[in-house]
Amino acid sequence: MGTKPYNEKNVDRKNGTLVVATNAQFKPYEYYEDGKIVGIDMDMMRAICDKLGMELKIEDIEFDSIITSVQSGKADVGAAGMSVTEDRKKNVDFSNFYAETRQVIVVRNTESGAAGISFFEKLQQNFVDSSRWSYIVTGLGNTLLITLFAIIIGIVLGALIAIVRTIHDQNHKLKILNFICKLYLTIIRGTPAMIQLLIIYYVIFASVNIDKILVAVVAFGLNSAAYVAEVIRSGINSVDKGQFEAGRSLGLTYKQTMLSIILPQAFKNILPALCNECISLLKETAISGYIGLTDLTKAGDIIRSQTFEAFIPLIAVALIYLVIVMILTAGVNKLERKLKNDNAR
């Protein structure tokens, strides 16, 4: 392994781009080295691109999503050291096999050299060597970016849905919009977020070359909106009806009453629930790896695939999530105290 790497040829690559879907956790066929995906399969893909005069683009996604990616047109070919079976051959076309493998059993050996590695040496191996900390930084940045914009979409869209449903409950107006909103809530709340993400990427945007972060923002934003809508609606209903009647008796319009009197009081009531939704959304982004997006969880998986050390990367990722959640919780608690003090005045 590594003694005879394929050297790319200097050819005219005018025939477009060949998109290869893989799961870069299967050394020596595909794995990360110095921040790049290399290996036997990737060498073959580079040789094919030289022959076809094409650029090579490698998508690192979950193994279960490789076939889906090819079938939906998001990738042109899948290469991930796949075993050829009769059931799989009924659904996809395989190349001729090019490797024969043997099955082995992995057992714990307390006398091996690995058992003598200290904790600090493991830290260096997982984060310092080959600059593996950069995966964590990239993943954390993507996770925060997705969470921020998804919660903005969730709050804005959720508030609109809540208002439509509240108007219908009070005045029996907007029947068509209310029906659409109820259908939307039923579908989104009744299906897993991961399925929604895969449908949006592989079905809705199947023929569109779209940024994966944008796909994740849209998917998680739409998912969050369904839950935020019910949170806001329950907050509006928790405000005494006399408040609404008092606003209208003062000559305020329905819109002015809702914006100036009802929603500010409802916001204070729903603040803890909104915080919980932000926390849930942050953790839900951990499934972004299914579309080949490097989020915080995927970054830990990349490091784990290189070092075969599960404890350190997973604990590091968990601690980062925990710290972010604690910061969010502290911020909301501070805001709650400020609102209470303002009401006391």
Side-chain angles (χ1 to χ4, degrees):
M1 182 182 65
T3 59
K4 297 181 180 180
Y6 179 78
N7 295 316
E8 290 185 358
K9 298 179 181 179
N10 185 17
V11 299
D12 186 6
R13 304 185 186 278
K14 62 181 180 180
N15 295 325
T17 301
L18 185 73
V19 181
V20 178
T22 189
N23 182 240
Q25 299 184 23
F26 191 29
K27 202 172 185 176
Y29 295 95
E30 42 273 321
Y31 60 98
Y32 280 89
E33 186 174 85
D34 297 329
K36 296 181 181 180
I37 301 176
V38 298
I40 297 172
D41 286 342
M42 298 304 102
D43 276 354
M44 287 194 296
M45 291 300 104
R46 290 183 175 90
I48 290 173
C49 285
D50 286 348
K51 185 72 173 179
L52 298 177
M54 301 180 73
E55 294 285 350
L56 176 63
K57 181 180 180 182
I58 303 173
E59 298 280 0
D60 179 20
I61 61 178
E62 294 297 321
F63 186 85
D64 296 342
S65 299
I66 292 175
I67 301 302
T68 304
S69 182
V70 175
Q71 290 176 334
S72 66
K74 286 293 184 181
D76 302 305
V77 61
M82 295 180 175
S83 300
V84 180
T85 67
E86 292 302 319
D87 286 334
R88 291 178 176 180
K89 287 168 66 175
K90 295 177 182 178
N91 298 296
V92 298
D93 293 326
F94 286 96
S95 66
N96 294 334
F97 69 87
Y98 51 86
E100 293 184 1
T101 60
R102 297 178 180 177
Q103 301 297 323
V104 299
I105 298 175
V106 180
V107 297
R108 183 182 179 89
N109 182 5
T110 57
E111 298 179 358
S112 67
I117 298 178
S118 68
F119 177 76
F120 292 103
E121 288 175 328
K122 290 183 178 181
L123 285 178
Q124 178 175 342
Q125 179 193 32
N126 283 275
F127 301 117
V128 179
D129 292 350
S130 302
S131 299
R132 294 190 177 106
W133 56 268
S134 61
Y135 297 122
I136 298 293
V137 173
T138 301
L140 176 60
N142 289 339
T143 293
L144 294 177
L145 188 65
I146 294 169
T147 303
L148 174 62
F149 286 100
I151 198 62
I152 291 174
I153 293 175
I155 291 176
V156 173
L157 183 58
L160 293 175
I161 294 173
I163 291 173
V164 168
R165 298 207 62 205
T166 301
I167 292 174
H168 178 268
D169 292 342
Q170 294 178 348
N171 305 324
H172 301 288
K173 296 180 179 179
L174 306 177
K175 292 184 178 180
I176 297 178
L177 285 177
N178 182 66
F179 172 78
I180 295 174
C181 290
K182 290 182 69 175
L183 181 63
Y184 169 80
L185 294 176
T186 300
I187 294 174
I188 296 299
R189 297 175 70 189
T191 55
M194 186 182 74
I195 301 300
Q196 297 166 18
L197 177 65
L198 295 177
I199 289 176
I200 290 175
Y201 184 66
Y202 290 118
V203 179
I204 296 177
F205 291 119
S207 59
V208 180
N209 186 16
I210 188 171
D211 187 88
K212 293 178 181 178
I213 291 181
L214 180 58
V215 172
V217 168
V218 171
F220 292 117
L222 293 177
N223 179 270
S224 178
Y227 296 94
V228 171
E230 291 302 283
V231 169
I232 294 177
R233 191 167 75 94
S234 65
I236 293 174
N237 292 334
S238 68
V239 179
D240 189 272
K241 293 183 179 180
Q243 297 286 320
F244 188 85
E245 295 172 354
R248 297 306 300 272
S249 66
L250 292 174
L252 298 177
T253 63
Y254 185 94
K255 178 181 178 181
Q256 290 173 330
T257 304
M258 185 65 70
L259 294 177
S260 302
I261 298 177
I262 304 301
L263 288 180
Q265 296 182 68
F267 177 74
K268 184 185 71 173
N269 295 335
I270 67 176
L271 191 58
L274 280 179
C275 176
N276 289 332
E277 173 57 26
C278 291
I279 293 172
S280 297
L281 180 60
L282 172 72
K283 293 183 289 186
E284 281 180 357
T285 60
I287 62 176
S288 299
Y290 277 89
I291 62 172
L293 181 60
T294 304
D295 69 310
L296 186 55
T297 302
K298 180 68 173 178
D301 288 340
I302 292 173
I303 295 174
R304 185 162 52 90
S305 70
Q306 295 181 33
T307 63
F308 277 13
E309 167 62 50
F311 179 79
I312 299 295
L314 292 179
I315 290 298
V317 169
L319 288 175
I320 293 173
Y321 276 118
L322 179 62
V323 169
I324 296 174
V325 169
M326 291 175 64
I327 293 173
L328 287 174
T329 304
V332 171
N333 290 338
K334 185 176 181 180
L335 181 58
E336 283 183 323
R337 289 194 297 269
K338 188 176 185 303
L339 290 174
K340 289 180 180 179
N341 293 335
D342 292 342
N343 291 335
R345 296 192 187 99

